[in-house]
Amino acid sequence: MLLLLLGIVLLHIAGLVLLFVSTIVSVWISGETSTSDLWQNCSTISVGSHCDPGSAGEWIQAVQALMILSIIFSCISLLLFFCQLFTLQKGGRFFLTGTFQILASLFVMSGAIIYTVMSPQWVPDTEAFGYSYILAWVAFPLALISGLIYVILRKRE
Amino acid sequence: MLTFVALASVLLLGIVPEQTEAISIYTGWERHALLGSDVRLSCSFFSWRGTSDDVTFSWTYRPDGSRDSISIFHYTSGQAYVDNKGPFRDRVEFVGNPGKRDGSILIKNLDYNDNGTFTCDAKNPPDIVGRPSSVRLLVFETVPIQAGVITGAIIGVVLGLLVLIVVIYYLMRFLVARRVFSLSVSKHGKKKREGTPARQGPVPTADPTKVKAASSEKKKQESRKDKK
């Protein structure tokens, strides 16, 4: 039982860490000399790197908001899990925790989808998607599976 | 000893304020405006001396990508002189109040060629040492949304909805529990009058969870009684 619990918590925390890294580290698009992401465009010209604040389009702001919301909801669901662990009746299900985690995964999914769809506007064809973008896509199924496990899990002992 | 202290204090009082005197000029950092509209470029200053009658304001303009600046406005001796030959001819108006240390100008009917940096320099004799301050003008066809407005709005709305749902949920629970509690209290009251042994109900508290637990317990007891 304890192992199961540990495994679930680790899965959740792994998803959370991926979300944090994906939102904060600036490598959604990477090209030869420049990387850009939700918050700024950085380019390495000759000496060191030089960052400009990114474009303030409506869609990129929506992606920013969705990523931040997914982090907030994932954190809330972690807190709720620990709360419910101690207050739930025997045989009860972690519905609330699962709901928040599934919502977080939906937010990541919408954010990644919007970014993918709108990227022809922002990304020149020569540049490829960077690892933060891939991490966001990986975080989505991780969070979804974690949320589903919470909904199915029953409290024992 | 006393004379020494007196001399020292006079000297200090005499020296220190003059060293901190330097006029500080404030303008905005950037101004966004629509094509064809008017924009007010504000300029104010802070000076340790009172505003003198010989206060001067001057504005210069440097187009984007150019190194030369031209003067477009000058206020001195109580008289404002505006540009009458350059690119801002007949488009500059003085809307400041020198008595209140405000040297703002209004530029009318903006064009894309007006993109550039405007520098305000104010002098308040004898306080003339200061650094001019610049404001950048950007002319747009449609004013873009500032970075972060939509982000903040989306996050605020979703979190607000969350808080609203939680509040409504707890409110409903509280109201339902109170109603059930008052109903069961009236039933208990009737039974007491009929002479059956009174069952001690729980002490009424304001805690909705306890009230809910108590009401559910009472429901179970009543259903058990009904089954009997």
mmCIF file of all heavy atoms in Angstrom, chain A residues 39 56 58 61-62 64-66 68-69 72-73 76 100 107, chain B residues 144-152 154-155 158-159 162 166:
data_model
loop_
_atom_site.group_PDB
_atom_site.id
_atom_site.type_symbol
_atom_site.label_atom_id
_atom_site.label_comp_id
_atom_site.label_asym_id
_atom_site.label_seq_id
_atom_site.Cartn_x
_atom_site.Cartn_y
_atom_site.Cartn_z
ATOM 1 N N TRP A 39 7.781 33.624 -23.264
ATOM 2 C CA TRP A 39 8.007 34.895 -22.564
ATOM 3 C C TRP A 39 8.988 35.803 -23.278
ATOM 4 O O TRP A 39 8.884 37.011 -23.221
ATOM 5 C CB TRP A 39 8.515 34.634 -21.140
ATOM 6 C CG TRP A 39 7.714 33.607 -20.442
ATOM 7 C CD1 TRP A 39 8.008 32.294 -20.306
ATOM 8 C CD2 TRP A 39 6.449 33.779 -19.796
ATOM 9 N NE1 TRP A 39 7.009 31.654 -19.610
ATOM 10 C CE2 TRP A 39 6.042 32.551 -19.289
ATOM 11 C CE3 TRP A 39 5.607 34.880 -19.600
ATOM 12 C CZ2 TRP A 39 4.865 32.363 -18.596
ATOM 13 C CZ3 TRP A 39 4.421 34.697 -18.901
ATOM 14 C CH2 TRP A 39 4.070 33.451 -18.420
ATOM 15 N N ALA A 56 3.531 40.482 -27.975
ATOM 16 C CA ALA A 56 2.416 40.456 -27.034
ATOM 17 C C ALA A 56 1.121 40.097 -27.746
ATOM 18 O O ALA A 56 0.120 40.739 -27.566
ATOM 19 C CB ALA A 56 2.287 41.813 -26.357
ATOM 20 N N GLU A 58 -2.345 37.992 -28.780
ATOM 21 C CA GLU A 58 -3.381 37.487 -27.875
ATOM 22 C C GLU A 58 -3.196 35.994 -27.627
ATOM 23 O O GLU A 58 -3.373 35.515 -26.506
ATOM 24 C CB GLU A 58 -4.775 37.712 -28.471
ATOM 25 C CG GLU A 58 -5.137 39.163 -28.660
ATOM 26 C CD GLU A 58 -4.775 39.660 -30.042
ATOM 27 O OE1 GLU A 58 -4.415 38.825 -30.901
ATOM 28 O OE2 GLU A 58 -4.823 40.876 -30.261
ATOM 29 N N GLN A 61 -0.441 34.999 -25.223
ATOM 30 C CA GLN A 61 -0.838 35.286 -23.844
ATOM 31 C C GLN A 61 -1.781 34.218 -23.339
ATOM 32 O O GLN A 61 -1.734 33.834 -22.160
ATOM 33 C CB GLN A 61 -1.510 36.650 -23.769
ATOM 34 C CG GLN A 61 -0.549 37.769 -24.041
ATOM 35 C CD GLN A 61 -1.146 39.115 -23.681
ATOM 36 O OE1 GLN A 61 -2.037 39.202 -22.865
ATOM 37 N NE2 GLN A 61 -0.642 40.146 -24.314
ATOM 38 N N ALA A 62 -2.654 33.712 -24.226
ATOM 39 C CA ALA A 62 -3.553 32.641 -23.810
ATOM 40 C C ALA A 62 -2.750 31.396 -23.445
ATOM 41 O O ALA A 62 -3.047 30.718 -22.454
ATOM 42 C CB ALA A 62 -4.543 32.317 -24.927
ATOM 43 N N GLN A 64 0.336 31.311 -22.350
ATOM 44 C CA GLN A 64 0.973 31.595 -21.056
ATOM 45 C C GLN A 64 0.000 31.328 -19.914
ATOM 46 O O GLN A 64 0.327 30.662 -18.933
ATOM 47 C CB GLN A 64 1.392 33.068 -20.982
ATOM 48 C CG GLN A 64 2.543 33.448 -21.834
ATOM 49 C CD GLN A 64 2.779 34.951 -21.798
ATOM 50 O OE1 GLN A 64 2.027 35.686 -21.183
ATOM 51 N NE2 GLN A 64 3.809 35.399 -22.468
ATOM 52 N N ALA A 65 -1.229 31.865 -20.065
ATOM 53 C CA ALA A 65 -2.211 31.720 -18.995
ATOM 54 C C ALA A 65 -2.534 30.253 -18.759
ATOM 55 O O ALA A 65 -2.624 29.807 -17.609
ATOM 56 C CB ALA A 65 -3.478 32.481 -19.359
ATOM 57 N N LEU A 66 -2.705 29.472 -19.857
ATOM 58 C CA LEU A 66 -3.081 28.068 -19.691
ATOM 59 C C LEU A 66 -1.972 27.292 -18.995
ATOM 60 O O LEU A 66 -2.241 26.437 -18.148
ATOM 61 C CB LEU A 66 -3.396 27.453 -21.055
ATOM 62 C CG LEU A 66 -4.739 27.889 -21.628
ATOM 63 C CD1 LEU A 66 -4.862 27.436 -23.064
ATOM 64 C CD2 LEU A 66 -5.869 27.330 -20.807
ATOM 65 N N ILE A 68 0.284 28.450 -16.880
ATOM 66 C CA ILE A 68 0.326 28.832 -15.466
ATOM 67 C C ILE A 68 -0.833 28.203 -14.716
ATOM 68 O O ILE A 68 -0.685 27.682 -13.605
ATOM 69 C CB ILE A 68 0.298 30.364 -15.325
ATOM 70 C CG1 ILE A 68 1.592 30.945 -15.863
ATOM 71 C CG2 ILE A 68 0.108 30.774 -13.881
ATOM 72 C CD1 ILE A 68 1.675 32.439 -15.745
ATOM 73 N N LEU A 69 -2.031 28.225 -15.335
ATOM 74 C CA LEU A 69 -3.191 27.620 -14.680
ATOM 75 C C LEU A 69 -2.967 26.137 -14.457
ATOM 76 O O LEU A 69 -3.351 25.596 -13.419
ATOM 77 C CB LEU A 69 -4.439 27.822 -15.538
ATOM 78 C CG LEU A 69 -5.127 29.159 -15.357
ATOM 79 C CD1 LEU A 69 -6.230 29.295 -16.368
ATOM 80 C CD2 LEU A 69 -5.679 29.266 -13.962
ATOM 81 N N ILE A 72 -0.857 25.694 -11.442
ATOM 82 C CA ILE A 72 -1.603 25.995 -10.209
ATOM 83 C C ILE A 72 -2.519 24.837 -9.860
ATOM 84 O O ILE A 72 -2.567 24.383 -8.713
ATOM 85 C CB ILE A 72 -2.419 27.282 -10.386
ATOM 86 C CG1 ILE A 72 -1.488 28.484 -10.518
ATOM 87 C CG2 ILE A 72 -3.356 27.493 -9.223
ATOM 88 C CD1 ILE A 72 -2.204 29.776 -10.747
ATOM 89 N N PHE A 73 -3.244 24.315 -10.870
ATOM 90 C CA PHE A 73 -4.177 23.240 -10.585
ATOM 91 C C PHE A 73 -3.458 21.970 -10.163
ATOM 92 O O PHE A 73 -3.941 21.224 -9.300
ATOM 93 C CB PHE A 73 -5.048 22.965 -11.819
ATOM 94 C CG PHE A 73 -6.279 23.820 -11.877
ATOM 95 C CD1 PHE A 73 -6.169 25.194 -11.942
ATOM 96 C CD2 PHE A 73 -7.531 23.257 -11.851
ATOM 97 C CE1 PHE A 73 -7.290 25.991 -11.982
ATOM 98 C CE2 PHE A 73 -8.662 24.052 -11.891
ATOM 99 C CZ PHE A 73 -8.541 25.405 -11.961
ATOM 100 N N ILE A 76 -2.526 22.442 -6.567
ATOM 101 C CA ILE A 76 -3.704 22.312 -5.701
ATOM 102 C C ILE A 76 -4.089 20.851 -5.551
ATOM 103 O O ILE A 76 -4.447 20.395 -4.464
ATOM 104 C CB ILE A 76 -4.884 23.107 -6.296
ATOM 105 C CG1 ILE A 76 -4.603 24.599 -6.238
ATOM 106 C CG2 ILE A 76 -6.159 22.807 -5.538
ATOM 107 C CD1 ILE A 76 -5.724 25.443 -6.797
ATOM 108 N N PHE A 100 -8.978 17.836 -10.193
ATOM 109 C CA PHE A 100 -8.032 18.928 -10.402
ATOM 110 C C PHE A 100 -6.878 18.511 -11.304
ATOM 111 O O PHE A 100 -6.424 19.273 -12.147
ATOM 112 C CB PHE A 100 -7.493 19.424 -9.053
ATOM 113 C CG PHE A 100 -8.372 20.459 -8.428
ATOM 114 C CD1 PHE A 100 -9.374 20.100 -7.558
ATOM 115 C CD2 PHE A 100 -8.203 21.795 -8.733
ATOM 116 C CE1 PHE A 100 -10.199 21.053 -6.998
ATOM 117 C CE2 PHE A 100 -9.025 22.752 -8.171
ATOM 118 C CZ PHE A 100 -10.026 22.382 -7.297
ATOM 119 N N PHE A 107 -5.651 21.677 -19.383
ATOM 120 C CA PHE A 107 -5.094 22.996 -19.654
ATOM 121 C C PHE A 107 -3.792 22.893 -20.432
ATOM 122 O O PHE A 107 -3.560 23.646 -21.385
ATOM 123 C CB PHE A 107 -4.858 23.766 -18.353
ATOM 124 C CG PHE A 107 -6.118 24.320 -17.754
ATOM 125 C CD1 PHE A 107 -6.306 24.301 -16.379
ATOM 126 C CD2 PHE A 107 -7.101 24.879 -18.532
ATOM 127 C CE1 PHE A 107 -7.459 24.808 -15.813
ATOM 128 C CE2 PHE A 107 -8.254 25.386 -17.972
ATOM 129 C CZ PHE A 107 -8.429 25.351 -16.614
ATOM 130 N N PRO B 144 -1.832 47.807 -29.841
ATOM 131 C CA PRO B 144 -1.778 46.397 -29.461
ATOM 132 C C PRO B 144 -2.071 46.240 -27.972
ATOM 133 O O PRO B 144 -1.890 47.158 -27.197
ATOM 134 C CB PRO B 144 -0.325 46.009 -29.760
ATOM 135 C CG PRO B 144 0.425 47.269 -29.591
ATOM 136 C CD PRO B 144 -0.491 48.383 -30.004
ATOM 137 N N ILE B 145 -2.536 45.075 -27.634
ATOM 138 C CA ILE B 145 -2.844 44.794 -26.226
ATOM 139 C C ILE B 145 -1.530 44.653 -25.472
ATOM 140 O O ILE B 145 -0.610 44.007 -25.941
ATOM 141 C CB ILE B 145 -3.658 43.494 -26.116
ATOM 142 C CG1 ILE B 145 -4.928 43.650 -26.927
ATOM 143 C CG2 ILE B 145 -3.992 43.206 -24.672
ATOM 144 C CD1 ILE B 145 -5.830 42.461 -26.853
ATOM 145 N N GLN B 146 -1.470 45.256 -24.319
ATOM 146 C CA GLN B 146 -0.243 45.183 -23.536
ATOM 147 C C GLN B 146 0.050 43.761 -23.109
ATOM 148 O O GLN B 146 -0.853 42.976 -22.867
ATOM 149 C CB GLN B 146 -0.403 46.048 -22.287
ATOM 150 C CG GLN B 146 -0.415 47.516 -22.616
ATOM 151 C CD GLN B 146 0.492 48.281 -21.686
ATOM 152 O OE1 GLN B 146 0.592 47.940 -20.524
ATOM 153 N NE2 GLN B 146 1.164 49.271 -22.203
ATOM 154 N N ALA B 147 1.319 43.468 -23.020
ATOM 155 C CA ALA B 147 1.712 42.110 -22.652
ATOM 156 C C ALA B 147 1.199 41.782 -21.270
ATOM 157 O O ALA B 147 1.432 42.513 -20.333
ATOM 158 C CB ALA B 147 3.227 41.994 -22.660
ATOM 159 N N GLY B 148 0.500 40.672 -21.168
ATOM 160 C CA GLY B 148 0.100 40.225 -19.836
ATOM 161 C C GLY B 148 -1.333 40.534 -19.484
ATOM 162 O O GLY B 148 -1.840 40.006 -18.504
ATOM 163 N N VAL B 149 -2.016 41.352 -20.283
ATOM 164 C CA VAL B 149 -3.399 41.681 -19.921
ATOM 165 C C VAL B 149 -4.287 40.464 -20.083
ATOM 166 O O VAL B 149 -5.025 40.085 -19.179
ATOM 167 C CB VAL B 149 -3.906 42.832 -20.811
ATOM 168 C CG1 VAL B 149 -5.401 42.958 -20.720
ATOM 169 C CG2 VAL B 149 -3.265 44.119 -20.401
ATOM 170 N N ILE B 150 -4.174 39.809 -21.251
ATOM 171 C CA ILE B 150 -5.040 38.651 -21.482
ATOM 172 C C ILE B 150 -4.658 37.502 -20.565
ATOM 173 O O ILE B 150 -5.521 36.788 -20.039
ATOM 174 C CB ILE B 150 -4.955 38.212 -22.951
ATOM 175 C CG1 ILE B 150 -5.465 39.336 -23.828
ATOM 176 C CG2 ILE B 150 -5.751 36.958 -23.188
ATOM 177 C CD1 ILE B 150 -5.574 38.969 -25.265
ATOM 178 N N THR B 151 -3.350 37.331 -20.355
ATOM 179 C CA THR B 151 -2.881 36.282 -19.449
ATOM 180 C C THR B 151 -3.518 36.453 -18.084
ATOM 181 O O THR B 151 -4.141 35.533 -17.549
ATOM 182 C CB THR B 151 -1.356 36.366 -19.295
ATOM 183 O OG1 THR B 151 -0.769 36.462 -20.573
ATOM 184 C CG2 THR B 151 -0.814 35.170 -18.571
ATOM 185 N N GLY B 152 -3.363 37.647 -17.543
ATOM 186 C CA GLY B 152 -3.929 37.913 -16.222
ATOM 187 C C GLY B 152 -5.429 37.734 -16.202
ATOM 188 O O GLY B 152 -5.980 37.196 -15.244
ATOM 189 N N ILE B 154 -7.339 35.744 -18.101
ATOM 190 C CA ILE B 154 -7.742 34.336 -18.139
ATOM 191 C C ILE B 154 -7.512 33.673 -16.785
ATOM 192 O O ILE B 154 -8.382 32.982 -16.245
ATOM 193 C CB ILE B 154 -6.981 33.570 -19.242
ATOM 194 C CG1 ILE B 154 -7.377 34.106 -20.608
ATOM 195 C CG2 ILE B 154 -7.252 32.090 -19.157
ATOM 196 C CD1 ILE B 154 -6.677 33.420 -21.754
ATOM 197 N N ILE B 155 -6.322 33.912 -16.216
ATOM 198 C CA ILE B 155 -6.019 33.293 -14.921
ATOM 199 C C ILE B 155 -6.987 33.775 -13.861
ATOM 200 O O ILE B 155 -7.523 32.990 -13.072
ATOM 201 C CB ILE B 155 -4.567 33.612 -14.492
ATOM 202 C CG1 ILE B 155 -3.607 32.958 -15.464
ATOM 203 C CG2 ILE B 155 -4.300 33.135 -13.090
ATOM 204 C CD1 ILE B 155 -2.173 33.198 -15.144
ATOM 205 N N VAL B 158 -10.542 32.148 -14.324
ATOM 206 C CA VAL B 158 -10.636 30.730 -13.951
ATOM 207 C C VAL B 158 -10.539 30.558 -12.432
ATOM 208 O O VAL B 158 -11.331 29.829 -11.824
ATOM 209 C CB VAL B 158 -9.542 29.913 -14.662
ATOM 210 C CG1 VAL B 158 -9.488 28.511 -14.137
ATOM 211 C CG2 VAL B 158 -9.801 29.885 -16.155
ATOM 212 N N LEU B 159 -9.588 31.242 -11.817
ATOM 213 C CA LEU B 159 -9.450 31.108 -10.359
ATOM 214 C C LEU B 159 -10.669 31.674 -9.646
ATOM 215 O O LEU B 159 -11.131 31.130 -8.639
ATOM 216 C CB LEU B 159 -8.173 31.804 -9.882
ATOM 217 C CG LEU B 159 -6.890 31.074 -10.258
ATOM 218 C CD1 LEU B 159 -5.674 31.839 -9.775
ATOM 219 C CD2 LEU B 159 -6.874 29.685 -9.682
ATOM 220 N N LEU B 162 -13.326 29.156 -9.760
ATOM 221 C CA LEU B 162 -13.028 28.097 -8.793
ATOM 222 C C LEU B 162 -13.465 28.506 -7.394
ATOM 223 O O LEU B 162 -14.175 27.766 -6.693
ATOM 224 C CB LEU B 162 -11.521 27.823 -8.803
ATOM 225 C CG LEU B 162 -11.068 26.580 -8.052
ATOM 226 C CD1 LEU B 162 -11.535 25.366 -8.773
ATOM 227 C CD2 LEU B 162 -9.559 26.584 -7.917
ATOM 228 N N VAL B 166 -16.452 26.857 -5.008
ATOM 229 C CA VAL B 166 -16.208 26.363 -3.656
ATOM 230 C C VAL B 166 -17.129 27.054 -2.668
ATOM 231 O O VAL B 166 -17.750 26.416 -1.807
ATOM 232 C CB VAL B 166 -14.725 26.586 -3.278
ATOM 233 C CG1 VAL B 166 -14.518 26.414 -1.795
ATOM 234 C CG2 VAL B 166 -13.849 25.627 -4.042
#
